Amino acid sequence: ETGVTQSPTHLIKTRGQQVTLRCSSQSGHNTVSWYQQALGQGPQFIFQYYREEENGRGNFPPRFSGLQFPNYSSELNVNALELDDSALYLCASSLDLPRHTDAFFGQGTRLTVV
Amino acid sequence: GQQVMQIPQYQHVQEGEDFTTYCNSSTTLSNIQWYKQRPGGHPVFLIQLVKSGEVKKQKRLTFQFGEAKKNSSLHITATQTTDVGTYFCAGLNNNDMRFGAGTRLTVKP
């Protein structure tokens, strides 16, 4: 167990809806990164939060947004869901940026958009 | 933009054989990390390489970082059935972390 927990583990949404995914980082870690992993692909970096500020963003549209709280837990919000958003969403926590040093991944949230 | 290519996509070996996966970046990297993901699981951090030409070993696993910090390899000696999974490299450049597509390893007992 890594100490990084994500909720929910599975989710089914309809195209056009909005979704919020949650991540509790490992104790002592102040950096959370979010990734999208499509089936059979490597994780794609969405964005990273460090001490409640966004620090780095991958090639994802603005309808992907996030938040980090004072306790360093984080949320990923996706608006206007599309079928291609179906994927495993992973969060990883680490201590200090920008090196993504020793990132520990949660078990992921599998999102299905129908 | 930065691209990270990983080969081969799949590798099937007999137990006891060696295995190598290669990772190449289009840009110079600050560091490279390797992860293992079991089927249905999440990526598990294996190691991070930072220095040019760095070589690190973990039991039967040997990790190398190229002199130009644009390529890396993971070599497993005498594979075991417990080695099955997908191995990903992830390269960091200017806080942009890019994963390779992974090499899926299967091991026949």
Side-chain angles (χ1 to χ4, degrees), chain B residues 8-13 18-20 103-107:
Chain B
Q9 188 176 3
Y10 302 96
Q11 185 79 58
H12 179 71
V13 300
D18 292 352
F19 160 76
T20 304
T103 296
R104 183 175 176 181
L105 172 66
T106 55
V107 180

Side-chain angles (χ1 to χ4, degrees), chain A residues 35 37 41-43 45 48 55 90 98-103 105-107, chain B residues 30-31 33 35 37 41-43 45 48 88 92 95-97 99-101:
Chain A
Y35 297 86
Q37 187 176 24
Q41 300 295 317
F45 176 63
Q48 180 186 73
N55 180 77
L90 297 160
R99 302 299 181 184
H100 296 240
T101 305
D102 292 348
F105 281 83
Q107 81 282 8
Chain B
S30 302
N31 67 47
Q33 298 177 357
Y35 293 81
Q37 186 172 22
H42 56 82
F45 175 83
Q48 174 175 276
F88 292 99
L92 181 66
N95 210 38
D96 183 4
M97 173 73 92
F99 278 76

Side-chain angles (χ1 to χ4, degrees), chain B residues 26-46:
Chain B
S26 59
T27 59
T28 301
L29 301 170
S30 302
N31 67 47
I32 195 158
Q33 298 177 357
W34 286 91
Y35 293 81
K36 177 183 178 182
Q37 186 172 22
R38 292 183 179 274
H42 56 82
V44 174
F45 175 83
L46 294 177

